[in-house]
Amino acid sequence: KLEIFYKDWKKIINYTKKKYPDLSIIACVYDDETLNFCAKQKIKHFKLHASDINNYDLLESLRKLKAKVNLSVGSSSMNEIKNAIKIIPKKNLCLMYGMQLFPTDHNIINLQNLNKLQKKFRVKIGYQDHTDPKKLLSYILPLFSLGLGVQYVEKHITDLRSKKRADSEAAFTIKEYSKFIYLYKAVKQSVFSEKIKHDEALAKYKNYYKKIVIAKKKILPKQKFSKLNLSLKWSKIKKDCYFDIKKLLGKKSKKNFKINEPIIL
């Protein structure tokens, strides 16, 4: 028995909002009745199954709500996707690519389709992973998809896989899911690191490893800098130093430089 009554869903939703206020709730809806119920619970983000991509009445209801929509497109044609996009504004839409074959063989997934979808429709993309959760690729493929620009990754969870509930063939256990989330956050941080922190790290790396221009031999005042008297060398001294020999070539020295002395003008 899979049915959960509305009164119980309401308790679950309220508990989740109170316990995890920063967690976004994305509700999978199949008809206007469940959509209206979720809207009354102030849910503003929905998933639409691939089987409903031609359910234009439901798509229209989602449009009227100005809701965010994760639209599953794994078994859909380009025309079906195109028709759905005519209804749901692109700014509110994310195309979710994936297929459930209990579990799905990794050899038929073809993650390049993510880039094709993004390039063709110019919308956000997401990946729905349904590979065998007992295999390492069930971690690798969704993590790899982050590098392809996905905004959402969908994974199924089960409390006990041996009970063989719905979608359990591709579902992580709680322990496996915790491990996946740890890896997901780490990889996401690497792929989408903040620009400021990234620039700071580059500056630190440059300061540590960048070679500076030094005098290859003794250089006298008014003597021109050339490839014959300049070289590059690692040094702890970086302030006011030159890193590019070309910027010095042809210029005249204003002072004496000893061998291996940094060129500072």
Side-chain angles (χ1 to χ4, degrees):
K1 187 176 181 180
L2 296 175
E3 185 177 4
I4 299 176
F5 296 108
Y6 281 139
K7 63 177 183 179
D8 296 318
W9 271 121
K10 191 173 182 178
K11 291 179 182 178
I12 293 170
I13 292 168
N14 290 335
Y15 172 83
T16 302
K17 286 182 176 181
K18 184 177 180 180
K19 185 75 173 179
Y20 307 100
D22 295 328
L23 183 67
S24 298
I25 298 176
I26 303 176
C28 186
V29 294
Y30 294 89
D31 51 46
D32 278 327
E33 182 183 333
T34 52
L35 175 61
N36 292 332
F37 166 78
C38 290
K40 288 179 181 179
Q41 311 311 311
K42 301 188 183 305
I43 294 175
K44 299 178 180 180
H45 198 158
F46 300 91
K47 172 195 168 181
L48 203 62
H49 193 273
S51 60
D52 278 313
I53 196 168
N54 295 323
N55 190 339
Y56 300 126
D57 289 339
L58 185 55
L59 286 167
E60 184 63 31
S61 296
L62 287 162
R63 183 193 67 79
K64 289 179 180 178
L65 284 174
K66 298 181 180 179
K68 292 182 179 180
V69 180
N70 286 11
L71 179 62
S72 301
V73 298
S75 61
S76 308
S77 68
M78 290 298 178
N79 280 334
E80 287 176 322
I81 299 172
K82 185 177 180 180
N83 289 333
I85 290 178
K86 289 179 181 179
I87 301 173
I88 303 295
K90 286 186 176 182
K91 65 178 182 179
N92 294 336
L93 186 64
C94 178
L95 299 181
M96 301 293 294
Y97 173 73
M99 62 192 85
Q100 171 63 295
L101 296 175
F102 310 101
T104 303
D105 188 339
H106 68 274
N107 289 307
I108 64 173
I109 291 174
N110 193 1
L111 288 178
Q112 292 185 79
N113 284 328
L114 289 165
N115 286 333
K116 291 178 181 178
L117 287 169
Q118 190 175 48
K119 186 176 181 180
K120 184 173 180 62
F121 297 108
R122 304 291 182 182
V123 295
K124 293 187 285 291
I125 54 172
Y127 172 58
Q128 298 167 309
D129 185 74
H130 300 98
T131 52
D132 188 341
K134 298 186 291 297
K135 293 184 178 180
L136 187 59
L137 280 169
S138 194
Y139 294 88
I140 293 174
L141 291 177
L143 296 177
F144 181 81
S145 73
L146 286 173
L148 298 176
V150 301
Q151 300 292 315
Y152 298 93
V153 171
E154 179 184 311
K155 293 290 293 187
H156 290 278
I157 312 171
T158 182
D159 60 339
L160 193 62
R161 194 180 294 125
S162 61
K163 290 185 178 180
K164 297 183 179 180
R165 296 191 177 105
D167 291 318
S168 62
E169 297 89 346
F172 276 148
T173 61
I174 301 300
K175 186 177 181 180
E176 291 167 341
Y177 182 69
S178 296
K179 178 182 177 181
F180 172 74
I181 290 299
Y182 170 80
L183 294 171
Y184 178 88
K185 289 181 177 179
V187 172
K188 187 176 182 180
Q189 181 63 34
S190 297
V191 176
F192 301 106
S193 58
E194 294 180 27
K195 187 179 186 303
I196 294 176
K197 291 183 178 180
H198 178 69
D199 290 346
E200 289 176 351
L202 281 179
K204 185 176 181 180
Y205 180 78
K206 176 180 179 180
N207 187 59
Y208 187 75
Y209 283 107
K210 200 79 170 180
K211 291 182 178 180
I212 64 170
V213 181
I214 55 98
K216 186 191 296 185
K217 56 180 67 175
K218 186 176 180 180
I219 300 175
L220 302 174
K222 296 185 179 181
Q223 184 178 349
K224 286 188 176 182
F225 293 114
S226 70
K227 292 182 179 180
L228 297 176
N229 58 22
L230 296 177
S231 185
L232 293 171
K233 191 172 184 178
W234 276 309
S235 172
K236 291 182 179 180
I237 300 172
K238 293 290 193 296
K239 186 177 180 181
D240 298 325
C241 292
Y242 279 84
F243 299 97
D244 188 348
I245 288 179
K246 287 183 179 180
K247 291 183 178 180
L248 285 167
L249 296 179
K251 292 183 178 181
K252 291 183 179 180
S253 174
K254 296 180 181 180
K255 52 171 281 189
N256 285 311
F257 286 98
K258 299 176 183 178
I259 296 175
N260 291 327
E261 184 178 349
I263 305 298
I264 300 175
L265 298 180

